Amino acid sequence: MYKDLFIDFDDTLYDTYGNAVIALQETFDAFRLVRYFDSPQTFYDAYWATNIDLWSRYSKGEIDRPFLIVERFRRPLSVGKGLEVTKEFCLEVSDRFLDFCSSKSGVVDGAHELMDYLKQKGYRMHMTSNGFHEVQYKKLAACGLRDYFDTIILSEDAGVNKPSPLYFDYALKTSGAHRETTLMIGDNLQTDILGALHAGLDAMLVNRWKVDVSESPQTPTFVVDTLRDIIQIL
């Protein structure tokens, strides 16, 4: 019987991708980047390819936050023609983009319904995230999910990122949860699920991205397709 739930935030509950798509368009327009790109899609495609690569490396501890913040816009901006891509400009674009992102209220379908259900069932819930401190709290406020969580556990506070077992050790200590009665819920097979399993926790994959679980070195304790499916299990 589970008593505590570690729940990933970005793209598990909060529609980080959908909100970022809108914010990226707003950023492109705010800086009039159309002057330097043949098509907005060229910029968007370069951003997403860069973002996926950098967040994967960040979760593994291969790069630090300052590098990620600058590099995720340096690369796509460098695709533009006639644009001077300085560190200062990258930081300015990043700040504006994060402001746009953190003001968005969009959540994954079924998020509020699920959290209402879990709260009524008496689970203690703890947000677990590799996201940046100041941004995550703004997102929580924007989408109305803050009050569901007993604890907010961010990698910046832990000093290490998911999937490190040290992150989950920190999360257990901070939340007061016990390993054997805690379930990790997340959308990322590597950082959320395999990280939790390696740390001795049960883990539920919300398989939004339709990954082939059969190729995973460890099998998730549960696999669901949608947030509403969780209600049938917990």
Side-chain angles (χ1 to χ4, degrees), residues 144-182:
L145 290 174
R146 173 65 184 91
D147 291 343
Y148 289 104
F149 291 107
D150 295 273
T151 317
I152 307 296
I153 306 166
L154 303 180
S155 60
E156 285 188 320
D157 297 325
V160 64
N161 298 321
K162 293 181 292 180
S164 170
L166 295 177
Y167 173 88
F168 291 97
D169 289 343
Y170 174 86
L172 289 166
K173 181 178 180 181
T174 301
S175 64
H178 298 286
R179 203 176 303 267
E180 63 275 9
T181 55
T182 299

Side-chain angles (χ1 to χ4, degrees), residues 1-7 114-115 117-125 181-186 202-204 206 221-222 224 227-234:
M1 172 66 79
Y2 300 114
K3 296 180 180 179
D4 290 88
L5 303 176
F6 287 171
I7 307 178
L114 172 65
M115 297 301 279
Y117 169 82
L118 296 174
K119 199 72 171 178
Q120 290 171 7
K121 292 285 287 187
Y123 291 105
R124 296 177 68 238
M125 292 183 282
T181 55
T182 299
L183 175 69
M184 174 71 209
I185 300 172
D202 285 357
M204 176 185 288
V206 182
T221 313
F222 306 98
V224 297
L227 293 181
R228 290 190 176 90
D229 292 339
I230 298 174
I231 295 175
Q232 307 306 316
I233 297 173
L234 298 179

Side-chain angles (χ1 to χ4, degrees), residues 63-123:
I63 60 174
D64 59 15
R65 168 182 165 153
F67 180 86
L68 186 154
I69 289 175
V70 173
E71 190 69 6
R72 70 173 167 186
F73 280 105
R74 188 196 65 78
R75 288 191 208 172
L77 288 170
S78 295
V79 175
K81 300 172 183 177
L83 177 59
E84 185 179 0
V85 186
T86 64
K87 177 181 179 180
E88 290 71 25
F89 184 61
C90 291
L91 289 172
E92 183 181 357
V93 173
S94 178
D95 286 345
R96 184 72 67 88
F97 172 71
L98 291 177
D99 283 342
F100 284 138
C101 279
S102 60
S103 67
K104 301 292 182 288
S105 61
V107 296
V108 176
D109 186 42
H112 285 283
E113 179 183 341
L114 172 65
M115 297 301 279
D116 281 337
Y117 169 82
L118 296 174
K119 199 72 171 178
Q120 290 171 7
K121 292 285 287 187
Y123 291 105

